[in-house]
């Protein structure tokens, strides 16, 4: 399916349309992205607003109630939802081909004319505050929250998508209306479709349903790349628990920089799966870890490369030492061709498996387009991975893995041992 050609064009009102034709099944999946939206565009005091907007988008429009929207979706067995991330906002749909026009019309209705009913706002704010309180009881979330806040003290990346109890409590309907008016506009939309639909059918449908939406007079919202002053430090939280969380965070590159592909490959090598370096060395051989892994999110601004371990409290110091040694090994020892090839095969294999369904294809191409990378990034990223050499991997590791932020959460005796 991933070999199917992808069509890209821009409609008269600025909407970017992506279409992948797949006649294998009578289904169409769609992703409607906002190009310049997500928590990166939130003011600190409005943290959680995009996430609240996402959950409320399907809770009522000028013509339909929440129940009517749900009934229209469920009666056809379709799917319709909204979600947000740090650098994107997306509405997702999935339907059989014969119901595609009806579900696309419904998607347009919730995107263009949400009503944000006050009772639904209060309900969702209460549910969000409960989720925030629940996270405070989970050691991993506590460790990651304090790491993130330390690395990005004056940037939305330092905040949870949920916001805080304080910021969520003061969000009002006027805030939702203001953000909707500012960000929801046709020239900020990427509509990505994959399934049994031709380019001609897609253009006709999108033009019919979204074509009357005019570009507003105000210019599009955009943000320049942020400047960061990373000052690594050690943060601790004492929490009575059966395990300690040890987390190291290294400032990483944005998705638009040359080092991105190398860091993705190193993340795969270190922490992806049962054959990863961290799992084999620190869990299998040394028995230190309940859980150990690495992750490196794709970000428009400088990202973070995180390695972490959940361990028995008495092993906290050894866990910290082990994680640092494995990160530093990446620039002290040149990886062998075999090690690098194995990591490449794993990353490329998982990447290919992530493009098997219509939903995955619509998501991937729409996401790349919304980030400003273009649909060609699907090819250039793979080329970049294949071309990475052991010397290049070592050079990039030396650039990023010198001095980490450290985040520790666990019982008092475990924390005291480190300090």
């Amino acid at each position: 399916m991933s070999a199917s050609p992808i069509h890209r064009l821009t409609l008269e009102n600025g909407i970017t349309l992506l279409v992948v034709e797949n006649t294998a099944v009578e289904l169409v999946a769609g992703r409607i992205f906002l190009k310049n939206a997500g928590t990166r565009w939130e003011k600190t005091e409005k943290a959680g607003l995009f996430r609240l907007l996402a959950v409320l988008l399907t809770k009522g429009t000028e013509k339909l109630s929440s129940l009517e929207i749900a009934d229209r979706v469920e009666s056809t067995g379709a799917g319709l939802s909204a979600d947000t991330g740090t650098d994107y906002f997306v509405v997702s749909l999935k339907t059989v081909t014969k119901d595609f026009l009806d579900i696309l019309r419904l998607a347009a209705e919730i995107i263009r004319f949400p009503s944000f009913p006050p009772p639904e706002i209060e309900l969702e704010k209460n549910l969000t505050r409960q989720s925030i309180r629940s996270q405070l009881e989970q050691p991993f979330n506590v460790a990651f929250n304090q790491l993130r806040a330390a690395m990005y003290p004056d940037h939305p990346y330092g905040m949870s998508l949920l916001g805080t109890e304080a910021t969520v409590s003061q969000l009002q309907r006027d805030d939702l209306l203001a953000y909707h008016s500012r960000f929801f506009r046709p020239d900020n939309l990427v509509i990505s479709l994959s399934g049994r639909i031709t380019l001609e059918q897609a253009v006709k449908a999108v033009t019919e349903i979204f074509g009357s939406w005019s570009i507003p007079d105000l210019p599009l919202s955009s943000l320049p790349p942020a400047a960061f002053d990373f000052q690594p430090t050690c943060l601790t939280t004492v929490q009575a628990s059966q395990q300690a969380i040890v987390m190291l965070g290294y400032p990483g590159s944005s998705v638009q920089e040359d080092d991105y592909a190398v860091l993705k490959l190193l993340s795969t090598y270190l922490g992806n799966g049962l054959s990863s370096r961290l799992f084999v060395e620190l869990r299998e051989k040394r028995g230190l870890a309940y859980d150990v892994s690495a992750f490196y999110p794709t970000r428009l601004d400088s990202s973070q490369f995180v390695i972490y371990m959940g361990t028995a409290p008495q092993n906290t110091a050894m866990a910290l030492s082990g994680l640092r040694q494995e990160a530093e090994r990446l620039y002290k020892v040149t990886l062998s061709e075999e090690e690098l090839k194995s990591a490449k095969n794993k990353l490329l294999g998982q990447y290919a498996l992530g493009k098997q369904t219509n939903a995955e294809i619509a998501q991937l191409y729409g996401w790349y387009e919304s980030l400003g990378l273009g649909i060609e990034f699907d090819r250039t990223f793979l080329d970049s991975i294949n071309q990475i050499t052991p010397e290049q991997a070592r050079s990039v590791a030396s650039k990023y893995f010198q001095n980490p932020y450290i985040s520790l959460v666990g019982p008092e005796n475990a924390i005291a041992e480190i300090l």
Side-chain angles (χ1 to χ4, degrees):
M1 187 189 301
S2 58
S4 302
I6 178 167
H7 308 285
R8 181 191 184 279
L9 66 158
T10 304
L11 304 184
E12 288 186 8
N13 62 352
I15 291 175
T16 301
L17 177 62
L18 311 176
V19 182
V20 176
E21 300 180 32
N22 169 37
T23 60
V25 289
E26 288 283 349
L27 295 172
V28 179
R31 295 291 186 271
I32 304 175
F33 282 89
L34 300 185
K35 286 186 287 189
N36 296 285
T39 61
R40 179 171 171 262
W41 279 262
E42 289 177 345
K43 295 180 179 179
T44 302
E45 65 271 18
K46 302 295 183 185
L49 182 52
F50 267 113
R51 192 263 179 184
L52 185 63
L53 198 160
V55 297
L56 287 166
L57 210 59
T58 57
K59 301 301 182 181
T61 71
E62 294 176 3
K63 296 180 181 179
L64 300 171
S65 69
S66 175
L67 288 176
E68 287 172 324
I69 293 171
D71 182 63
R72 288 196 180 191
V73 175
E74 292 169 5
S75 64
T76 61
L80 182 64
S81 61
D83 195 14
T84 192
T86 53
D87 299 306
Y88 68 87
F89 187 99
V90 64
V91 173
S92 303
L93 62 94
K94 183 178 181 181
T95 175
V96 294
T97 306
K98 69 180 181 65
D99 295 323
F100 171 69
L101 279 177
D102 290 338
I103 297 301
L104 188 64
R105 285 194 186 94
L106 184 57
E109 176 81 10
I110 68 169
I111 288 171
R112 295 189 62 183
F113 309 111
S115 58
F116 303 123
E120 296 282 1
I121 294 174
E122 292 308 310
L123 173 61
E124 293 300 335
K125 284 169 65 173
N126 285 332
L127 292 173
T128 300
R129 285 190 289 258
Q130 290 176 23
S131 296
I132 292 169
R133 287 193 289 268
S134 175
Q135 286 193 354
L136 296 177
E137 299 173 359
Q138 301 165 16
F140 175 87
N141 285 324
V142 173
F144 184 55
N145 285 343
Q146 73 178 3
L147 177 72
R148 179 173 52 198
M151 294 184 72
Y152 303 101
D154 301 309
H155 190 280
Y157 286 179
M159 303 287 285
S160 165
L161 296 178
L162 297 175
T164 67
E165 286 195 69
T167 61
V168 170
S169 294
Q170 57 83 41
L171 293 177
Q172 302 296 325
R173 185 170 183 270
D174 285 347
D175 298 315
L176 295 163
L177 292 170
Y179 267 47
H180 181 268
S181 175
R182 176 182 171 190
F183 293 97
F184 285 63
R185 45 190 287 168
D187 53 339
N188 202 31
L189 247 60
V190 175
I191 299 181
S192 178
L193 304 173
S194 178
R196 180 164 287 200
I197 185 169
T198 65
L199 176 62
E200 293 73 21
Q201 290 170 333
V203 171
K204 181 180 179 181
V206 173
T207 301
E208 174 190 329
I209 294 170
F210 289 91
S212 63
W213 197 1
S214 301
I215 300 174
D217 294 333
L218 293 174
L220 269 169
S221 294
S222 61
L223 292 176
F228 297 100
D229 180 24
F230 292 110
Q231 299 290 336
T233 185
C234 180
L235 305 108
T236 64
T237 295
V238 173
Q239 187 175 62
S241 61
Q242 299 302 308
Q243 66 171 324
I245 301 294
V246 180
M247 190 172 289
L248 277 59
Y250 299 87
S253 78
S254 76
V255 67
Q256 296 169 327
E257 297 176 83
D258 293 339
D259 294 338
Y260 171 78
V262 180
L263 289 173
K264 273 296 185 187
L265 184 62
L266 292 177
S267 175
T268 298
Y269 169 76
L270 269 185
N272 189 332
L274 304 184
S275 62
S276 68
R277 173 76 187 187
L278 292 178
F279 191 93
V280 171
E281 294 297 322
L282 300 182
R283 175 170 169 144
E284 293 296 293
K285 292 184 179 180
R286 298 181 60 184
L288 289 176
Y290 300 143
D291 181 29
V292 63
S293 192
F295 58 91
Y296 169 54
T298 299
R299 296 284 183 264
L300 279 173
D301 286 330
S302 294
S303 187
Q304 56 188 159
F305 192 108
V306 179
I307 58 177
Y308 70 91
M309 184 192 301
T311 189
Q314 65 271 20
N315 292 334
T316 302
M318 287 188 292
L320 175 58
S321 174
L323 288 174
R324 292 198 69 159
Q325 287 172 7
E326 290 301 331
E328 291 168 1
R329 175 181 175 271
L330 294 174
Y331 63 83
K332 292 180 177 179
V333 177
T334 302
L335 298 182
S336 68
E337 291 282 0
E338 184 178 346
E339 286 177 305
L340 212 58
K341 182 179 179 181
S342 177
K344 288 179 181 180
N345 289 341
K346 184 189 296 186
L347 190 156
L348 295 174
Q350 291 176 343
Y351 188 86
L353 288 174
K355 294 194 298 180
Q356 296 302 300
T357 69
N358 286 317
E360 290 168 342
I361 291 170
Q363 171 75 24
L364 190 71
Y365 285 124
W367 183 45
Y368 286 163
E369 185 69 26
S370 72
L371 292 177
L373 302 170
I375 56 177
E376 61 274 10
F377 187 75
D378 179 58
R379 173 184 54 79
T380 59
F381 173 67
L382 300 183
D383 290 343
S384 297
I385 294 296
N386 278 317
Q387 293 168 12
I388 295 170
T389 65
E391 293 75 20
Q392 185 183 5
R394 183 173 181 176
S395 174
V396 171
S398 178
K399 180 177 176 181
Y400 291 96
F401 298 144
Q402 297 283 347
N403 192 14
Y405 286 79
I406 299 171
S407 179
L408 305 172
V409 175
E412 185 172 5
N413 60 338
I415 301 298
E417 184 181 355
I418 299 294
L419 302 179

